[in-house]
Amino acid sequence: MLIQSILGGRPDPAALARSESSDAANVQRHAVSTIEQSVSAPRQDALRAIAAEYDVTDISPRTFSEMIGRLRQAGALSDKDYQELAAIRVDLEQAGIGPDDEIDLVRFYRQRLQEAAQAEKSRETPRPDLERLRARLEWLQKFAALRSPEASPIDTAA
């Protein structure tokens, strides 16, 4: 909620900052709580430990591949999840991102999802591509949340 300041009808900067901070915390709590729901306890521990070493908001495709490889070796990813995440590397190559170029994967997929959603406005049902983009973005948000200091221990409160 934005509170109008008395002067100039502009939003109160303090209220805006609190609102943005609250929104980010809610997204983070949701992303981390979905990990608890979908991954067994030993896999959660491996996932947390390995993901915390990588920053998906500033990572190269090569380093991302290393991360998901380690997650797979540790048993933190199913074969299906690994294949889904490995497809991110293909998306990056198709977008012209070099193997050692640093990229914010969360921002990259947010933009791709927005572009796909705009293209799909005329359709009644979403195409599978849109759902795949959503799934990839959700994974990346989980990884970003696990890297954040606020993510440990996992808070499932909504």
Side-chain angles (χ1 to χ4, degrees):
M1 171 188 287
L2 297 179
I3 300 171
Q4 299 291 326
S5 68
I6 296 171
L7 302 174
R10 293 190 174 139
D12 176 22
L16 183 58
R18 284 190 303 273
S19 174
E20 289 174 356
S21 175
S22 176
D23 290 345
N26 287 337
V27 167
Q28 181 181 30
R29 274 194 298 272
H30 173 72
V32 174
S33 70
T34 59
I35 291 170
E36 270 197 335
Q37 296 168 8
S38 64
V39 179
S40 67
R43 288 178 57 200
Q44 285 178 33
D45 293 340
L47 185 64
R48 268 191 224 114
I50 294 168
E53 297 176 29
Y54 297 88
D55 181 0
V56 295
T57 64
D58 186 24
I59 194 168
S60 71
R62 187 182 318 271
T63 303
F64 181 76
S65 293
E66 173 188 303
M67 179 187 77
I68 64 172
R70 287 183 60 201
L71 288 168
R72 185 178 188 193
Q73 281 183 325
L77 292 178
S78 68
D79 287 338
K80 180 183 174 198
D81 290 337
Y82 176 78
Q83 290 172 356
E84 180 67 29
L85 291 168
I88 288 174
R89 183 76 187 259
V90 174
D91 289 347
L92 296 172
E93 287 175 19
Q94 289 175 344
I97 309 298
D100 296 312
D101 294 343
E102 298 292 319
I103 184 168
D104 180 340
L105 292 175
V106 174
R107 179 180 293 161
F108 177 82
Y109 274 95
R110 279 185 184 147
Q111 288 173 336
R112 294 208 46 191
L113 186 57
Q114 284 177 338
E115 291 165 2
Q118 289 294 328
E120 292 297 312
K121 278 189 175 183
S122 62
R123 295 179 185 242
E124 291 182 19
T125 57
R127 286 191 344 208
D129 291 346
L130 200 58
E131 294 307 314
R132 281 192 290 269
L133 289 172
R134 282 190 185 111
R136 291 174 190 166
L137 177 58
E138 185 174 298
W139 266 110
L140 294 166
Q141 289 172 326
K142 290 175 190 179
F143 291 140
L146 288 170
R147 174 131 172 100
S148 173
E150 297 87 31
S152 183
I154 290 181
D155 176 14
T156 58

